[in-house]
Amino acid sequence: MSEKLKNKLIYFISLAIMIVVLYGIAYMSFMRKVDVNVMENAKFEYSGENGNATLTVTMDDSSEINQRTAAFLETVEFEASPNTELSNGDVVHVTATYDEATAEEYNFNPTHLSEDIKVSGLPDQYSSLKQIDKSYLSNILEAADQYIDDHATEIYRTEVGGSSERISLDKSRVVYSAFMKSKNSENSDRVIRIYQLTYTAGETQTELYYLVCVPEINDSDDVAEQDIYGLKAYLTDDEKNNRQYAEYVQRLYQEQYTIEEITK
């Protein structure tokens, strides 16, 4: 074989090898279907308590995944069934759907599109006030007090009004506290506190009664600070003068709750 022919042969063999390598790279990068485990990136979160919970399934955005996979996973939607009145031990079937065009664009082959989830870890309600741990109860009451401190000016402007820029809460006195056990499993148990608030705005002094509610009292022993709310307590003159705070609460809530006064 001549040297010239030999060189041509080497050239074409090298070229063929390069083409095969480039094709392989292109296939691996752009043409080969890549499996994406959808459920591996799912995040399961429960809301509610044992016997009355729901499940929310979302993508875990804290996972370390590449940009293409993240863009695809943003198209995924989950459905859980059943998803009402869940209790510990229930089995929920979760299915995922996705945008097929996006999967095709990125050459993804989505896998694990359904999974059965066994419900666990849901908190239970307390049957009575005496079951509540003292330190947990103390945290609840402190959270209610803190709500007053944090919202003092807002409470005055909402319930009293006025344009004075000089508003001060001179005195905050707790006049009644109670644990309210719901008679309906759809509602959470709660702790309420009634405060007698004395304000000075400009030259005017004002007194009002205000009720703070801390909901979702259960054996998780977590204080749901983000769900605490308050409202003006509209006591009658007799209830104020005779300090009939328990009667006021009974008048408003006895049909929905079993009420136990907290005497701490």
Side-chain angles (χ1 to χ4, degrees):
M1 180 183 296
S2 67
E3 189 67 26
K4 186 176 181 180
L5 183 60
K6 185 177 179 180
N7 289 338
K8 284 185 176 181
L9 183 60
I10 293 173
Y11 169 77
F12 284 115
I13 291 174
S14 300
L15 182 61
I17 292 173
M18 289 179 61
I19 292 173
V20 170
V21 170
L22 290 173
Y23 179 82
I25 293 173
Y27 174 78
M28 293 295 292
S29 300
F30 303 106
M31 298 174 64
R32 182 178 65 90
K33 291 286 186 180
V34 177
D35 289 346
V36 177
N37 185 332
V38 174
M39 289 298 172
E40 184 179 45
N41 298 282
K43 180 169 63 175
F44 305 94
E45 294 182 321
Y46 296 102
S47 299
E49 299 163 327
N50 190 18
N52 189 41
T54 58
L55 172 64
T56 300
V57 188
T58 57
M59 275 300 165
D60 186 358
D61 54 15
S62 65
S63 301
E64 295 183 2
I65 52 179
N66 61 55
Q67 188 173 1
R68 286 158 56 90
T69 304
F72 163 70
L73 291 177
E74 286 180 357
T75 74
V76 175
E77 295 182 354
F78 295 98
E79 183 175 345
S81 180
N83 200 15
T84 58
E85 300 180 347
L86 297 178
S87 301
N88 289 325
D90 288 348
V91 176
V92 180
H93 186 66
V94 179
T95 56
T97 56
Y98 59 91
D99 182 70
E100 295 182 1
T102 303
E104 188 68 25
E105 177 184 354
Y106 293 134
N107 290 306
F108 286 155
N109 176 42
T111 65
H112 299 81
L113 297 175
S114 65
E115 186 173 341
D116 288 332
I117 304 297
K118 187 174 182 179
V119 179
S120 63
L122 297 177
D124 288 299
Q125 293 183 337
Y126 291 107
S127 62
S128 64
L129 174 61
K130 66 181 181 181
Q131 282 194 329
I132 303 177
D133 181 80
K134 290 183 178 179
S135 62
Y136 177 41
L137 183 59
S138 178
N139 290 339
I140 294 168
L141 299 178
E142 288 176 5
D145 295 343
Q146 189 63 49
Y147 181 91
I148 292 293
D149 292 342
D150 293 343
H151 298 82
T153 300
E154 177 186 342
I155 290 170
Y156 182 89
R157 294 198 184 281
T158 300
E159 305 300 345
V160 180
S163 58
S164 175
E165 295 183 359
R166 294 185 296 116
I167 298 172
S168 65
L169 177 59
D170 301 328
K171 186 177 181 181
S172 173
R173 184 170 72 93
V174 177
V175 297
Y176 182 79
S177 302
F179 169 64
M180 303 206 306
K181 173 70 181 173
S182 177
K183 297 178 180 179
N184 185 338
S185 62
E186 294 183 0
N187 295 328
S188 69
D189 298 338
R190 52 204 59 206
V191 165
I192 58 123
R193 299 199 100 177
I194 298 177
Y195 298 82
Q196 183 184 37
L197 305 178
T198 304
Y199 285 93
T200 297
E203 302 298 324
T204 304
Q205 191 171 74
T206 303
E207 180 183 276
L208 65 89
Y209 289 85
Y210 199 78
L211 184 150
V212 174
C213 176
V214 184
E216 300 173 35
I217 307 303
N218 53 55
D219 66 4
S220 69
D221 288 355
D222 291 330
V223 180
E225 295 183 5
Q226 72 281 358
D227 295 326
I228 297 175
Y229 65 92
L231 64 159
K232 186 176 180 179
Y234 290 94
L235 284 79
T236 65
D237 289 338
D238 283 344
E239 288 169 340
K240 292 178 185 177
N241 295 333
N242 298 311
R243 301 179 181 179
Q244 295 174 337
Y245 311 117
E247 287 78 0
Y248 166 76
V249 173
Q250 289 285 344
R251 175 164 61 84
L252 262 62
Y253 299 111
Q254 65 180 346
E255 292 186 5
Q256 301 166 281
Y257 298 91
T258 299
I259 302 165
E260 295 182 78
E261 183 175 359
I262 299 171
T263 57
K264 174 184 175 181

